[in-house]
Amino acid sequence: RDLVRSRGLGDVYKRQVGLLAVVMAVVSVKLSPLDKSDAALVVEQAYVTGIGFAEEDAVTYLSLTNRTGQDDRLTGARSASARDVMLRRQGEGDAGAAPTTQITDGIALPDGAQHRFAPGGDHLMLSGLTEPLVQGAIVPITLVFERAGDVPISVLVDLDR
């Protein structure tokens, strides 16, 4: 399966996976392997965490910066680790109790702009997880853009946030 489980090697394995996640915490995604410029979609501070009341669901937070030289729009996402991945926005209200709505028209990302997916705001909702989340595991997610197309990223599970 896609979620990395930490069994057998215990803490040593967890530390290695954690180090890999730190190295992958800043991901610059080139739009083409032939592209020799600095143009990229930059994903930073990405993590997946549980939502407490539903073990089969999780949320992903990240910072996304467009350095491609062109305006773009995030239109969706998918993951082999979940039945469905939705762009969602949390409304106003008490923390954790505020209603969320699906973002159906995508998220505009002008060239040079940054968009934060953060608690209390926009996030990626992973519904119907194929396996329970494991601290330090890596979840593969593919971000889907109008111009850039499919952009695969690897996101660390951090259940302590």
Side-chain angles (χ1 to χ4, degrees):
R1 301 258 180 161
D2 291 321
L3 295 180
V4 177
R5 293 197 178 267
S6 55
R7 291 186 185 168
L9 297 178
D11 291 334
V12 172
Y13 185 70
K14 287 180 188 178
R15 281 194 294 272
Q16 288 175 342
V17 170
L19 179 59
L20 173 64
V22 169
V23 170
M24 297 172 67
V26 177
V27 177
S28 290
V29 181
K30 292 290 197 173
L31 299 183
S32 164
L34 302 175
D35 182 6
K36 302 300 181 198
S37 71
D38 289 331
L41 292 164
V42 180
V43 176
E44 298 174 291
Q45 303 168 356
Y47 68 96
V48 175
T49 192
I51 57 174
F53 58 86
E55 288 185 16
E56 67 277 359
D57 296 337
V59 293
T60 302
Y61 301 115
L62 56 96
S63 174
L64 181 60
T65 305
N66 181 356
R67 295 185 185 149
T68 64
Q70 299 180 356
D71 294 348
D72 210 336
R73 176 177 295 277
L74 178 65
T75 59
R78 65 181 179 275
S79 175
S81 297
R83 181 186 69 247
D84 193 22
V85 181
M86 295 174 282
L87 302 174
R88 302 208 45 102
R89 179 166 289 139
Q90 188 166 356
E92 294 185 28
D94 294 334
T100 64
T101 56
Q102 187 167 354
I103 302 170
T104 56
D105 58 344
I107 296 173
L109 198 61
D111 181 45
Q114 181 182 66
H115 188 87
R116 293 204 36 88
F117 294 81
D122 294 349
H123 55 278
L124 300 177
M125 175 66 77
L126 285 73
S127 298
L129 294 174
T130 59
E131 294 183 20
L133 293 176
V134 176
Q135 179 72 18
I138 302 296
V139 176
I141 296 176
T142 300
L143 303 176
V144 181
F145 293 88
E146 274 182 356
R147 290 182 180 255
D150 293 355
V151 176
I153 62 172
S154 297
V155 184
L156 174 70
V157 174
D158 187 344
L159 300 174
D160 295 331
R161 292 194 198 194

